Amino acid sequence: MTVYPRTADEKLGFDTLRAHLADLTKSRLGDERIGAMKPLKGLDAVRTEVQRVAELQNAFQFDDPVPLDDLLDVRTVLREVAPKGAFVETEALHAVRLAARTIRLLTGYLRARRAKYPMLADAVERVEPLKALEDHIGRVVDDEGQLRDNASPELQRVRRQIQKRQNALRNSVLRALRSAIGAGYATEEQPTIRGGRMVIPVRAETKRKVQGFVHDVSASGQTVYIEPAETLDLNNEVRQLEVEERHEIERILREVSGHVRHHREALAFQQRVLGRFDVWQAKAKLANQLDATVPDLNADGIIDIRAGRHPVLLLRFAELNKANPEAAPREVVPLDMKLGEDFRTLVITGPNAGGKSVAMKTAGLFALMLSYGLPIPADPLSRFSVFDRLIVDIGDEQSMEEDLSTFSSHVKNLKYMLQRADAGTLILIDEAGTGTDPAEGGALAQAVLEHLTDVGARTVVTTHHGTLKVFAHETDGVENGSMQFDQATLEPTYRFQAGIPGSSYAFDITQRIGLRREVVKRARALVGEQKTALESLIVSFERRNREAEKQLTTARKQIREAEAAQQRYEERRLKIREERENLRRQALTEAERIVSEANAQVERTIREIKEAEAARDVTKTARAELETFKEQVTERRKKTERKQRNRQQKRSAPAKHAQPRPAKSRELIDIGDQVVVDSGSSTAEVMEIEGKDAVLALGSMTMRVKLNRLTKVGGPRKQQVTVKQVRQTSTDLAALRAQTRIDVRGQRVDEAVPAVTRLVDEGHLASLKYVEILHGKGTGALRHAIRDYLATRHDIAHFEDAEWEQGGPGVTVVHLAGA
């Protein structure tokens, strides 16, 4: 994205964000990239960058620590080892090892989590870890950056010799010092080092009485440092061994530096990767501080900001709240703003210091942040276009050197806009029409806005000109907007409202401040009745709009609550219905089992009769009766199932009251039908039919009645099979009311943990395999507290993040043990 003028970053506040990013980098690798950072070009480039930052946000909040501790800049080391035969010291080699280790751990971390962080994994796809180089340096240099004694057999031998000879030298020097002390020659009780050799301190006047070589004299001249003659050979041996040690050290360093030289290109590539990751981690940390998200990006010029908050104000208020924890916390008023879909130009009006410029700058700063690959502090359902150009005309650009007045500087910016603006341009104009005659300035601003609207540019402009309010109201593609103002307190609310022009409230504010009443009255008169009436109409319209918004908010809340309640009741209804169907199937299965057992018993009886050699005709009769009984039982079971299916089909239809129908002939009444006698109200069941008579059962009584006296009111009753149960246990009740998912977003830890406890306990009682906890992402504190509690439960098999499409890190899936 091209940005004009070059001071646009400072005017919109992005310089503050850039400085904050630089403070969050871990090395010069990232710091240099932040300083040289330019806006990205094109939707694909922006989308890739912000998605990488968003993935790193999630990793910082919800995953194991990302291995980015040692982001070291070793580019100087790589330059120093470039010449053949060159070498660097152990500290530099240690830094190379740490940098190579960091890139290896980072690569392994991301490749193991490719499903979670695909864009970051792609960023290290071409990285080849240099584990062999790490190990080689590690065998020579320890974790403190010092050369190991066993870096080579020769070095180990030499250092042992040095240690041995130094011990002998010290003992010899101590003997000489004790002798000098006994003779009264020495000034101190400990030997010291001068010129790399061990010496003893002797008073200057006695120096000729101690055999040896003078190496130094104290500043006062009273003490002479003498190397005793008997230690001369030992000192020489130590110095010779130290020379051998240095030669071996240089040989080792030259050899290891050669390995670094061999991998120089790979290490340079790793440095570039680490530099990019240093920038991404700084962006991710800033995004988490701002609670920023990635909106739905587009290239169609559509802006739909939902609950957007100005990032610089967020940082500033956070500092103020931290500095004054006892004061009432300051919060940024969220912004909802649309542009580019139903209209292309937005004219924002309202009182001074009411937030017009902040609203406009929020849109511009969001455009800049996205072009630099930074998520924005807004609801993730927001939409934002990636523009080709951003042109701003904000503030005073007057210049003594270029002889530009305030108005001339505005005209210069307008000229650039008119030359470059198109459908891929976002334009911000603050206080349009100022700096010259109000009438001429308003007319010029309207003409510019007409042209920008015609070419398809997206434009946000703030103004006090009433002519532009009328222009926005009457022109297609242009919309009014304003900042709300509390008419009772005459204080701004900093809330943006679309579709409504705003009043300047100039007279009300001046009167509240205390300007003389007669002066304000005279000013109103000078403005004119028509102007005053228009301002009053706008004020009245704003008040009614706020009242309507409050009512709409209340209604929407009630609708959401009703829908939630309806959803809960529907879920309960379906669950009860499912349980009822299960019980019915169990009852039918039990009935079939009983019939089967009865059949088996009858067969056994027949077998016994046959074994007792009963008469053939008796056996035949018994078997026939058995078959009849089986057919009757089967028919009754089928009839019961048909009635159950019919009842399910008619369940959704409105119930109709059964009207008795008189029986016109005997065939209309059959055994099992429900009837009433004459015009009675008591229902009886037909047990038998004999000719023109029927035997009825009414309670425990039976009676014989003529068929023509009966009226049929229903068919056979449902055959019920009662499965005896002892009683319904608490486990059964838990199974009916057990939840599989709870939402604890917005709750405190002491509220959420008891709810999680109930969810897990009821899940076990209901024999559920798993339950889900919706806690959201946020700062991650609630998620960590819940998971710390889950880790203490022995009846949980394990828990994990949900799938990305089901909530990802914002949802914890708990698998119950024994399920």
Side-chain angles (χ1 to χ4, degrees):
M1 182 173 71
T2 303
V3 180
Y4 178 89
R6 55 184 177 79
T7 57
D9 282 14
E10 292 81 4
K11 292 181 178 298
L12 293 175
F14 188 78
D15 58 328
T16 300
L17 299 184
R18 189 192 292 267
H20 203 77
L21 282 173
D23 292 339
L24 292 172
T25 57
K26 292 174 172 287
S27 70
R28 191 170 58 183
L29 294 168
D31 192 47
E32 289 178 359
R33 285 179 173 269
I34 293 295
M37 190 168 55
K38 300 293 183 183
L40 300 168
K41 293 185 178 181
L43 177 61
D44 291 340
V46 171
R47 182 172 285 151
T48 298
E49 183 76 0
V50 294
Q51 285 180 350
R52 282 174 174 159
V53 175
E55 288 178 0
L56 207 49
Q57 280 184 265
N58 286 327
F60 283 152
Q61 288 182 307
F62 307 114
D63 213 326
D64 296 328
V66 184
L68 288 171
D69 292 332
D70 295 314
L71 291 174
L72 301 177
D73 180 7
V74 297
R75 291 172 297 177
T76 301
V77 178
L78 299 181
R79 287 193 295 269
E80 290 177 352
V81 300
K84 187 175 181 179
F87 68 90
V88 292
E89 295 298 328
T90 56
E91 294 82 359
L93 294 174
H94 183 54
V96 171
R97 180 192 176 205
L98 291 179
R101 178 176 178 270
T102 296
I103 199 71
R104 174 175 58 81
L105 294 177
L106 180 63
T107 301
Y109 180 96
L110 295 175
R111 289 176 179 173
R113 295 166 172 80
R114 173 171 286 278
K116 288 184 178 181
Y117 315 124
M119 302 302 295
L120 290 175
D122 286 345
V124 296
E125 186 66 30
R126 294 171 43 236
V127 173
E128 290 296 333
L130 301 175
K131 184 65 164 60
L133 178 63
E134 286 182 60
D135 294 340
H136 191 84
I137 297 175
R139 287 192 294 270
V140 173
V141 181
D142 63 20
D143 292 338
E144 302 299 324
Q146 301 298 317
L147 193 67
R148 298 183 185 274
D149 290 341
N150 60 351
S152 74
E154 177 63 16
L155 180 64
Q156 190 172 29
R157 183 194 67 77
V158 171
R159 285 188 170 178
R160 285 177 179 174
Q161 287 293 327
I162 290 175
Q163 184 66 38
K164 183 177 179 180
R165 304 316 294 164
Q166 282 180 338
N167 289 338
L169 175 62
R170 184 172 181 80
N171 291 334
S172 179
V173 170
L174 286 174
R175 285 195 300 269
L177 179 60
R178 284 195 295 268
S179 176
I181 291 174
Y185 305 150
T187 61
E188 299 177 18
E189 296 183 355
Q190 290 294 330
T192 185
I193 301 294
R194 286 293 186 274
R197 303 176 75 88
M198 195 169 288
V199 296
I200 61 176
V202 177
R203 283 196 289 271
E205 63 271 18
T206 64
K207 64 181 180 180
R208 299 187 182 280
K209 297 181 179 181
V210 179
Q211 292 184 354
F213 299 91
V214 176
H215 280 273
D216 200 1
V217 179
S218 67
S220 63
Q222 297 181 359
T223 301
V224 177
Y225 298 96
I226 298 177
E227 179 184 4
E230 59 266 32
T231 66
L232 177 61
D233 291 339
L234 287 172
N235 257 323
N236 288 339
E237 289 181 26
V238 170
R239 293 300 298 273
Q240 181 60 35
L241 288 171
E242 288 175 347
V243 170
E244 294 179 16
E245 177 191 32
R246 183 59 200 168
H247 288 166
E248 179 63 13
I249 288 174
E250 289 184 2
R251 186 194 69 78
I252 293 171
L253 295 179
R254 191 172 284 108
E255 186 266 336
V256 178
S257 297
H259 282 273
V260 175
R261 183 184 310 110
H262 177 72
H263 295 289
R264 188 164 166 265
E265 289 187 6
L267 288 168
F269 175 68
Q270 291 184 1
Q271 287 284 284
R272 292 192 292 272
V273 173
L274 288 179
R276 290 197 292 269
F277 269 92
D278 198 4
V279 173
W280 291 335
Q281 68 85 25
K283 290 180 178 180
K285 287 181 179 178
L286 176 59
N288 282 339
Q289 290 177 9
L290 299 174
D291 195 20
T293 61
V294 178
D296 180 14
L297 297 174
N298 66 84
D300 304 323
I302 297 174
I303 295 176
D304 182 4
I305 301 174
R306 304 186 185 187
R309 290 152 298 149
H310 195 286
V312 176
L313 289 181
L314 281 175
L315 294 175
R316 187 176 302 164
F317 286 178
E319 293 177 358
L320 293 175
N321 294 337
K322 183 177 180 180
N324 301 284
E326 297 180 357
R330 300 190 62 178
E331 297 181 352
V332 178
V333 178
L335 170 69
D336 293 333
M337 176 189 289
K338 291 185 178 182
L339 178 67
E341 197 165 21
D342 298 327
F343 53 90
R344 297 183 295 278
T345 300
L346 177 63
V347 178
I348 305 177
T349 52
N352 286 318
K356 300 189 304 296
S357 296
V358 172
M360 178 190 65
K361 289 180 179 180
T362 299
L365 188 50
F366 280 4
L368 264 182
M369 290 176 69
L370 290 170
S371 73
Y372 280 100
L374 272 169
I376 60 175
D379 189 283
L381 294 178
S382 301
R383 294 183 292 165
F384 212 100
S385 178
V386 175
F387 292 95
D388 298 327
R389 277 169 298 281
L390 172 64
I391 305 174
V392 302
D393 179 28
I394 299 174
D396 190 352
E397 290 281 358
Q398 59 180 325
S399 170
M400 296 292 290
E401 295 179 0
E402 298 182 17
D403 193 24
L404 289 178
S405 67
T406 299
F407 180 70
S408 297
S409 67
H410 286 314
V411 173
K412 179 181 177 183
N413 291 336
L414 295 178
K415 175 184 176 182
Y416 185 89
M417 293 176 191
L418 297 176
Q419 290 174 340
R420 307 295 175 88
D422 58 16
T425 306
L426 175 62
I427 295 177
L428 310 177
I429 304 175
D430 194 26
E431 299 296 347
T434 59
T436 187
D437 177 78
E440 295 177 352
L444 177 62
Q446 179 175 331
V448 170
L449 294 181
E450 286 176 350
H451 176 80
L452 296 177
T453 304
D454 290 341
V455 299
R458 272 54 176 176
T459 306
V460 182
V461 56
T462 68
T463 186
H464 285 285
H465 281 281
T467 55
L468 295 183
K469 300 177 188 179
V470 177
F471 163 71
H473 178 71
E474 296 178 345
T475 307
D476 291 338
V478 186
E479 183 63 275
N480 270 304
S482 61
M483 308 306 296
Q484 288 184 356
F485 196 75
D486 191 325
Q487 299 174 29
T489 63
L490 295 181
E491 294 287 344
T493 65
Y494 304 108
R495 293 192 177 277
F496 176 79
Q497 51 189 3
I500 304 173
S503 171
S504 64
Y505 290 94
F507 296 140
D508 298 301
I509 294 174
T510 54
Q511 188 168 329
R512 178 179 65 85
I513 293 175
L515 197 66
R516 294 177 65 90
R517 186 181 301 273
E518 58 271 20
V519 174
V520 176
K521 183 177 180 181
R522 173 58 179 162
R524 290 182 185 272
L526 290 173
V527 167
E529 295 182 359
Q530 186 176 3
K531 172 70 173 178
T532 304
L534 176 61
E535 290 293 321
S536 299
L537 182 62
I538 292 175
V539 170
S540 176
F541 188 63
E542 287 180 347
R543 182 178 65 254
R544 294 183 180 181
N545 184 68
R546 284 197 299 272
E547 293 173 354
E549 285 184 349
K550 290 180 180 178
Q551 294 175 356
L552 181 59
T553 301
T554 302
R556 286 174 175 169
K557 180 180 179 182
Q558 292 173 347
I559 290 173
R560 287 195 300 269
E561 292 173 351
E563 289 175 346
Q566 182 182 9
Q567 178 67 21
R568 290 194 300 270
Y569 288 127
E570 180 65 17
E571 291 174 355
R572 291 181 184 177
R573 186 184 70 81
L574 293 176
K575 189 173 185 64
I576 292 173
R577 178 178 178 180
E578 181 181 354
E579 292 292 333
R580 183 175 60 195
E581 292 300 320
N582 289 337
L583 291 174
R584 185 188 67 81
R585 286 192 294 269
Q586 292 172 8
L588 290 175
T589 302
E590 180 67 13
E592 290 179 351
R593 185 187 64 78
I594 293 172
V595 171
S596 178
E597 291 179 356
N599 289 341
Q601 180 62 38
V602 173
E603 289 291 342
R604 283 195 298 272
T605 302
I606 294 175
R607 187 169 59 252
E608 291 172 358
I609 293 174
K610 292 175 67 177
E611 291 174 354
E613 296 182 354
R616 179 181 295 274
D617 56 343
V618 175
T619 303
K620 185 176 182 180
T621 301
R623 183 175 294 278
E625 292 176 352
L626 171 63
E627 291 299 327
T628 301
F629 172 72
K630 289 171 63 177
E631 290 175 359
Q632 290 175 350
V633 172
T634 301
E635 181 60 29
R636 294 178 70 181
R637 179 176 61 81
K638 291 181 177 178
K639 188 178 294 184
T640 300
E641 292 177 350
R642 284 198 301 272
K643 289 183 178 179
Q644 182 66 24
R645 286 196 297 270
N646 292 336
R647 191 176 292 108
Q648 290 176 350
Q649 293 172 358
K650 295 178 180 179
R651 186 167 292 151
S652 60
K656 296 182 179 179
H657 183 66
Q659 297 294 333
R661 293 180 304 175
K664 294 183 179 180
S665 67
R666 177 192 175 286
E667 285 74 21
L668 294 177
I669 296 177
D670 203 349
I671 295 174
D673 289 341
Q674 307 299 306
V675 297
V676 295
V677 180
D678 298 329
S679 58
S681 58
S682 299
T683 303
E685 183 177 354
V686 178
M687 304 301 294
E688 297 177 13
I689 297 177
E690 298 177 357
K692 296 182 179 181
D693 296 335
V695 178
L696 307 181
L698 182 60
S700 60
M701 299 171 52
T702 58
M703 66 181 77
R704 184 179 292 273
V705 181
K706 294 293 185 181
L707 282 172
N708 57 13
R709 295 178 58 193
L710 302 180
T711 301
K712 182 177 177 179
V713 296
R717 290 180 178 174
K718 175 184 176 183
Q719 301 297 316
Q720 296 182 343
V721 179
T722 303
V723 180
K724 188 175 181 181
Q725 295 180 340
V726 178
R727 63 187 177 88
Q728 191 174 35
T729 66
S730 60
T731 301
D732 299 327
L733 294 174
L736 289 174
R737 66 170 180 259
Q739 293 178 283
T740 60
R741 181 183 178 104
I742 60 172
D743 185 348
V744 296
R745 290 176 297 179
Q747 296 185 12
R748 299 190 303 272
V749 173
D750 56 355
E751 295 174 332
V753 171
V756 172
T757 302
R758 289 192 298 273
L759 175 70
V760 174
D761 291 344
E762 292 181 0
H764 276 292
L765 289 174
S767 299
L768 299 179
K769 292 183 179 180
Y770 65 89
V771 293
E772 297 178 351
I773 305 165
L774 174 58
H775 44 64
K777 298 179 182 179
T779 63
L782 182 59
R783 173 181 182 270
H784 289 307
I786 290 174
R787 293 197 166 192
D788 289 344
Y789 164 72
L790 293 175
T792 65
R793 301 227 10 179
H794 301 295
D795 53 356
I796 291 176
H798 66 281
F799 51 85
E800 60 187 357
D801 290 347
E803 298 295 333
W804 281 103
E805 64 273 12
Q806 296 174 356
V811 177
T812 295
V813 180
V814 183
H815 296 268
L816 304 179

